[in-house]
Amino acid sequence: MDQKCYSVAIDGPAGAGKSTMARRAAQALNFVYVDTGAIYRTVAYAALSRGLSPEDGDAVTALLPELRVELSWQEGVQHMILNGCDVTAEIRKPEVSDGASKVAALPVVRDFLMETQRDAARTHSVIMDGRDIGTVVLPDADVKIFLSASPEVRAKRRLLELQAQNRAATFDEVLRDIKERDYRDSHRKTAPLRQADDAVLLDTSELSLQESVDAILNLIRKKTGL
Ligand code: DC
């Protein structure tokens, strides 16, 4: 008999800690962690590296048939493969973050990437993080969590991440970037960032990383009986 595949959707704004927390929770449960932001970043990177504006709907639409976007897991780490090249490191640059939020507002891009995301959940138990996983991509997910934290706490966390990678940025720049992306991600017409009606809200502003991961694991175990 086939084993049941569980799906956990974790949505929330930029910098809420989704990826770190989802990755740790997936490790603890032996689930595959799927970072869907990386998929949008890959399309943005493809547009930027061809000199296209990520906001230019016609140019991005014309580009899509040329793109093969694939996920691969190497020692539990998700890699993004664009037309056969590993672009996992390149997609983390700040201009790609900004571009990703712009291509993500284009319905044609969201449609193009839908099956890639759903495919990953068909064959594995997954924790998938993004903005519209519980509302659009996996509306029947077994567990839905909406992770949030204040913009200031998120900016502080993002700044620490950037500093750890030796990237120069100030708190004010990071905070401004987070607020701009929040606005764009939650005001776009297609699949805006919003909490699914059946999602549990988890505000991590006052929680440590470990406390947040424990809270996520408790929710998953309670809902799935695992
Ligand atoms: O999570 P992230 O910062 O890597 O995401 C990059 C951008 O992609 C973000 O600004 C919003 C967009 N995104 C989206 O629209 N839907 C998703 N499921 C994941 C990310």
Side-chain angles (χ1 to χ4, degrees):
M1 206 175 80
D2 286 343
Q3 235 185 335
K4 174 173 167 54
C5 286
Y6 290 97
S7 53
V8 178
I10 300 189
D11 292 299
K18 296 186 299 295
S19 58
T20 315
M21 295 168 194
R23 188 177 298 119
R24 292 213 184 177
Q27 249 165 14
L29 295 165
N30 211 9
F31 282 19
V32 172
Y33 163 58
V34 183
D35 168 4
T36 64
I39 309 179
Y40 287 92
R41 286 169 179 269
T42 301
V43 173
Y45 172 76
L48 290 168
S49 56
R50 285 166 174 77
L52 305 176
S53 159
E55 275 166 310
D56 184 342
D58 290 341
V60 175
T61 302
L63 172 67
L64 293 177
E66 293 173 30
L67 304 185
R68 200 158 33 91
V69 176
E70 292 164 309
L71 293 105
S72 96
W73 283 272
Q74 295 167 25
E75 287 165 20
V77 178
Q78 177 182 317
H79 283 245
M80 291 309 308
I81 314 294
L82 172 63
N83 295 343
C85 290
D86 192 320
V87 295
T88 310
E90 285 79 359
I91 62 169
R92 292 295 149 195
K93 296 187 175 149
E95 63 272 25
V96 181
S97 305
D98 184 66
S101 162
K102 289 173 178 162
V103 294
L106 302 171
V108 67
V109 171
R110 306 201 72 84
D111 285 350
F112 176 74
L113 298 176
M114 184 68 77
E115 276 314 295
T116 308
Q117 298 171 82
R118 286 187 176 157
D119 241 17
R122 254 175 225 132
T123 44
H124 310 90
S125 283
V126 291
I127 297 190
M128 192 175 284
D129 90 28
R131 304 296 189 284
D132 61 337
I133 308 306
T135 51
V136 179
V137 178
L138 302 177
D140 297 326
D142 298 292
V143 186
K144 298 183 186 180
I145 298 171
F146 194 85
L147 263 190
S148 138
S150 72
E152 288 73 19
V153 167
R154 289 187 279 131
K156 222 182 276 171
R157 290 179 186 162
R158 197 30 78 90
L159 186 63
L160 286 173
E161 267 175 30
L162 291 171
Q163 284 167 346
Q165 298 159 11
N166 280 327
R167 302 240 171 93
T170 65
F171 176 78
D172 287 346
E173 280 165 4
V174 176
L175 181 61
R176 195 186 54 220
D177 173 61
I178 278 187
K179 285 185 171 168
E180 265 175 33
R181 284 215 281 153
D182 278 0
Y183 186 85
R184 213 182 296 127
D185 294 344
S186 43
H187 285 80
R188 67 182 177 222
K189 284 209 193 76
T190 311
L193 169 66
R194 82 172 175 80
Q195 184 180 339
D197 296 335
D198 50 352
V200 176
L201 174 66
L202 184 62
D203 187 320
T204 67
S205 302
E206 307 285 331
L207 300 182
S208 70
L209 175 57
Q210 193 54 50
E211 287 168 337
S212 307
V213 174
D214 288 344
I216 291 171
L217 286 171
N218 282 340
L219 282 170
I220 296 174
R221 291 194 169 117
K222 208 161 74 190
K223 291 244 175 184
T224 62
L226 283 171

